Amino acid sequence: MRNRLSRALPVAVALLAAVAVLPVSAATAAAPEPATHTAPANPTALADEDGTYIVTLQRDLDPVAVADMVGATPVHVFDTALHGFSARLSPAQVTALRAMPGVESIDEDGETAGFGTF
């Protein structure tokens, strides 16, 4: 009996030490602020030229049909992580989409920078 206990005790101590350290290191790590990249809420602040936007929709809407309603041709149609499409849109098309029910967001497509270590 003592032999089993003497072999199990170091393993149990190591396991408890690892569990005790994890929450402390996670709590002290600084969480980076999320990067945001969205189109201005005011359509008049948009540039005069067309830009590429990502439009997210409610799941019951057809992305191709919504794009067609404003005269846009989707570059990509999304239906996994988000539901919607990307397309080159004029400021007038962005304004029309913002007024449509079921349009959840319109974000200008662009590059974002990641930060932090993994």
Side-chain angles (χ1 to χ4, degrees):
M1 177 81 161
R2 182 171 167 90
N3 193 16
R4 271 195 273 169
L5 181 61
S6 63
R7 284 186 296 188
L9 187 59
V11 173
V13 169
L15 181 63
L16 286 173
V19 170
V21 171
L22 286 177
V24 172
S25 63
T28 59
E33 292 295 319
T36 59
H37 188 84
T38 58
N42 180 0
T44 59
L46 296 171
D48 289 334
E49 61 186 58
D50 295 357
T52 304
Y53 292 85
I54 298 173
V55 181
T56 55
L57 307 169
Q58 291 177 349
R59 290 262 172 206
D60 60 337
L61 295 177
D62 176 17
V64 176
V66 172
D68 190 49
M69 286 181 197
V70 296
T73 302
V75 175
H76 297 288
V77 175
F78 306 104
D79 199 30
T80 304
L82 58 96
H83 182 74
F85 64 93
S86 68
R88 291 196 59 80
L89 302 172
S90 69
Q93 290 169 316
V94 171
T95 301
L97 284 166
R98 287 190 195 284
M100 285 185 170
V103 174
E104 293 180 347
S105 68
I106 304 169
D107 299 308
E108 190 170 8
D109 195 6
E111 293 183 24
T112 60
F115 46 89
T117 58
F118 296 97

